[in-house]
Amino acid sequence: MKNVKLARKNGHERTIIKVGDIEIGKGFVVIAGPCSVENEEQTIITAQKVKEAGAHLLRGGAFKPRTSPYSFQGLGLEGLKILEKAKKATGLPVVTEVIDPRDVTWVCEFADVLQIGTRNMQNFALLKEVGKVNKPVLLKRGMYSSLAEWLNSIEYILNEGNSNVILCERGIRTFETYTRNTLDLSAVPAMKELSHLPIIVDPSHGTGRSSLIEPMSLAAVAAGADGLMVEVHYKPEEALSDKDQTLNPEQFSNLMRKIRKVVQIFHKLESSE
Ligand code: PEP
Ligand code: MN
């Protein structure tokens, strides 16, 4: 890791990333919303529900990197316009994925935080492009990536001038098949030792099972995570992607109640007013 100069801790004070009034890396932050933006009703109702439950930011993919080219690929620009309406309706800042370097500049008009997904953690052209813009980047860990590789990917972004990078542990591929991925919670304290950047946990992709999201979320708080990213849909059974790992609004609201209690012990909850 000799060449990782900017992402390494090296006495650097912890980076706090401002998104509107929210300070990521200071209080505990929850990002919630559907896997994919499907239509206006689904996104706006889900956004209202997660806001009521206390989420700080809204997530939703308009560009979906799917394993099969025949699976739902997302609504693109139409999806971003829906996210804009959901933001207007709730006041929640928007986290959305960008998958193509050519789209970065114009997606910034709709996104408060640009997400780079696991499949693109080593898409160096994309990393350089998001490094040039003035928006925070949420960089997910590659599903096959070591912490050293992750740090080098962060370095690509920081080296272009964008210092606002939020890390997200979302599980790695192992021999286990019961869970979709193996959520590596040791990556949280390890990356906090190695880097000055905030790190959040995605228990939805990390487990692939809605029943496991609550225990792994609580464990993520205890591990020292700066926040969570959770998939929520107003009707999970109808979700066009990732329905098995998606919470309904009631489950999410119960989760938030428990998170608040655990956060009181380990952390300070970022204000959601
Ligand atoms: C997502 O968060 O929508 C997503 C596609 O996640 P990942 O890149 O972790 O698979
Ligand atoms: Mn998903």
Side-chain angles (χ1 to χ4, degrees), residues 100-192:
D100 188 321
R102 294 168 295 188
D103 295 336
V104 170
T105 318
W106 69 267
V107 172
C108 281
E109 290 168 30
F110 298 90
D112 295 289
V113 176
L114 294 170
Q115 179 174 323
I116 304 286
T118 192
R119 294 161 186 82
N120 279 314
M121 191 205 82
Q122 288 190 313
N123 180 338
F124 301 119
L126 184 59
L127 298 179
K128 284 188 194 168
E129 214 52 42
V130 298
K132 290 182 189 133
V133 298
N134 185 22
K135 287 277 165 169
V137 176
L138 181 95
L139 180 65
K140 289 191 145 195
R141 180 182 183 180
M143 63 180 94
Y144 300 107
S145 299
S146 66
L147 300 186
E149 287 163 338
W150 197 4
L151 282 162
N152 275 288
S153 291
I154 301 162
E155 196 75 11
Y156 265 94
I157 302 173
L158 300 184
N159 189 42
E160 294 295 329
N162 189 346
S163 52
N164 292 321
V165 179
I166 305 150
L167 314 180
C168 179
E169 163 59 40
R170 51 77 71 204
I172 49 175
R173 282 275 172 90
T174 66
F175 52 81
E176 184 53 70
T177 54
Y178 182 72
T179 46
R180 181 176 181 187
N181 292 287
T182 296
L183 187 62
D184 178 14
L185 285 182
S186 70
V188 173
M191 286 303 262
K192 290 206 141 185

Side-chain angles (χ1 to χ4, degrees), residues 35 59 64 180 205 231 241-242 245:
C35 178
R59 64 147 288 142
K64 298 305 301 177
R180 181 176 181 187
H205 295 87
E231 287 187 337
S241 55
D242 289 351
Q245 63 187 45

